[in-house]
mmCIF file of all heavy atoms in Angstrom:
data_model
loop_
_atom_site.group_PDB
_atom_site.id
_atom_site.type_symbol
_atom_site.label_atom_id
_atom_site.label_comp_id
_atom_site.label_asym_id
_atom_site.label_seq_id
_atom_site.Cartn_x
_atom_site.Cartn_y
_atom_site.Cartn_z
ATOM 1 N N GLY S 4 80.458 87.832 134.312
ATOM 2 C CA GLY S 4 79.482 86.759 134.172
ATOM 3 C C GLY S 4 78.272 86.937 135.071
ATOM 4 O O GLY S 4 77.221 86.335 134.837
ATOM 5 N N ASP S 9 82.207 97.163 133.328
ATOM 6 C CA ASP S 9 83.340 98.064 133.588
ATOM 7 C C ASP S 9 84.206 97.550 134.734
ATOM 8 O O ASP S 9 84.668 98.335 135.581
ATOM 9 C CB ASP S 9 82.841 99.485 133.922
ATOM 10 C CG ASP S 9 81.852 100.028 132.909
ATOM 11 O OD1 ASP S 9 82.094 99.848 131.696
ATOM 12 O OD2 ASP S 9 80.830 100.604 133.321
ATOM 13 N N SER S 16 95.112 93.057 145.047
ATOM 14 C CA SER S 16 94.625 93.408 146.379
ATOM 15 C C SER S 16 93.322 92.727 146.764
ATOM 16 O O SER S 16 92.885 92.838 147.904
ATOM 17 C CB SER S 16 94.440 94.929 146.463
ATOM 18 O OG SER S 16 93.381 95.322 145.602
ATOM 19 N N ALA S 20 86.481 97.293 141.150
ATOM 20 C CA ALA S 20 85.471 98.328 140.939
ATOM 21 C C ALA S 20 84.668 97.893 139.721
ATOM 22 O O ALA S 20 85.220 97.304 138.783
ATOM 23 C CB ALA S 20 86.129 99.682 140.703
ATOM 24 N N LEU S 57 81.902 105.138 149.375
ATOM 25 C CA LEU S 57 83.357 105.300 149.363
ATOM 26 C C LEU S 57 83.738 106.775 149.386
ATOM 27 O O LEU S 57 84.654 107.178 150.112
ATOM 28 C CB LEU S 57 83.944 104.590 148.143
ATOM 29 C CG LEU S 57 85.445 104.394 148.105
ATOM 30 C CD1 LEU S 57 85.951 103.625 149.328
ATOM 31 C CD2 LEU S 57 85.846 103.653 146.828
ATOM 32 N N ASN S 69 96.807 114.500 157.856
ATOM 33 C CA ASN S 69 97.932 115.391 157.550
ATOM 34 C C ASN S 69 99.232 114.899 158.161
ATOM 35 O O ASN S 69 99.334 114.696 159.372
ATOM 36 C CB ASN S 69 97.647 116.808 158.061
ATOM 37 C CG ASN S 69 96.524 117.466 157.289
ATOM 38 O OD1 ASN S 69 96.255 117.096 156.161
ATOM 39 N ND2 ASN S 69 95.864 118.416 157.918
ATOM 40 N N PRO S 73 99.972 106.848 155.276
ATOM 41 C CA PRO S 73 98.682 106.262 154.928
ATOM 42 C C PRO S 73 98.530 104.783 155.284
ATOM 43 O O PRO S 73 97.409 104.288 155.396
ATOM 44 C CB PRO S 73 98.578 106.477 153.417
ATOM 45 C CG PRO S 73 99.947 106.780 152.957
ATOM 46 C CD PRO S 73 100.704 107.345 154.124
ATOM 47 N N SER S 74 99.632 104.078 155.499
ATOM 48 C CA SER S 74 99.505 102.657 155.854
ATOM 49 C C SER S 74 99.103 102.469 157.317
ATOM 50 O O SER S 74 98.716 101.374 157.715
ATOM 51 C CB SER S 74 100.819 101.915 155.588
ATOM 52 O OG SER S 74 101.809 102.316 156.512
ATOM 53 N N GLU S 92 81.168 98.688 171.473
ATOM 54 C CA GLU S 92 81.831 98.621 172.788
ATOM 55 C C GLU S 92 83.329 98.890 172.661
ATOM 56 O O GLU S 92 83.915 99.591 173.490
ATOM 57 C CB GLU S 92 81.586 97.261 173.452
ATOM 58 C CG GLU S 92 82.230 97.123 174.819
ATOM 59 C CD GLU S 92 81.762 98.178 175.833
ATOM 60 O OE1 GLU S 92 80.585 98.588 175.791
ATOM 61 O OE2 GLU S 92 82.587 98.596 176.665
ATOM 62 N N ARG S 95 84.115 102.584 172.411
ATOM 63 C CA ARG S 95 83.939 103.390 173.636
ATOM 64 C C ARG S 95 85.163 103.330 174.554
ATOM 65 O O ARG S 95 85.264 104.106 175.491
ATOM 66 C CB ARG S 95 82.701 102.915 174.385
ATOM 67 C CG ARG S 95 81.402 103.348 173.732
ATOM 68 C CD ARG S 95 80.208 103.111 174.643
ATOM 69 N NE ARG S 95 79.766 101.729 174.649
ATOM 70 C CZ ARG S 95 78.918 101.192 173.779
ATOM 71 N NH1 ARG S 95 78.424 101.929 172.822
ATOM 72 N NH2 ARG S 95 78.563 99.918 173.869
ATOM 73 N N ASP S 101 96.425 104.597 169.931
ATOM 74 C CA ASP S 101 95.511 104.409 168.799
ATOM 75 C C ASP S 101 94.325 105.365 168.905
ATOM 76 O O ASP S 101 93.866 105.675 169.991
ATOM 77 C CB ASP S 101 94.971 102.981 168.758
ATOM 78 C CG ASP S 101 96.046 101.942 168.482
ATOM 79 O OD1 ASP S 101 97.186 102.322 168.161
ATOM 80 O OD2 ASP S 101 95.734 100.741 168.588
ATOM 81 N N VAL S 118 99.663 98.556 162.371
ATOM 82 C CA VAL S 118 98.434 97.775 162.485
ATOM 83 C C VAL S 118 98.716 96.498 163.261
ATOM 84 O O VAL S 118 97.912 96.074 164.090
ATOM 85 C CB VAL S 118 97.865 97.464 161.084
ATOM 86 C CG1 VAL S 118 96.722 96.484 161.163
ATOM 87 C CG2 VAL S 118 97.411 98.742 160.407
ATOM 88 N N LEU S 146 91.207 103.164 145.469
ATOM 89 C CA LEU S 146 89.927 102.609 145.018
ATOM 90 C C LEU S 146 88.983 103.724 144.585
ATOM 91 O O LEU S 146 88.303 103.617 143.553
ATOM 92 C CB LEU S 146 89.285 101.769 146.112
ATOM 93 C CG LEU S 146 89.898 100.407 146.344
ATOM 94 C CD1 LEU S 146 89.373 99.780 147.630
ATOM 95 C CD2 LEU S 146 89.628 99.494 145.155
#
Side-chain angles (χ1 to χ4, degrees):
D9 309 317
S16 67
L57 193 57
N69 292 336
S74 70
E92 181 59 34
R95 286 192 281 274
D101 294 351
V118 171
L146 285 168

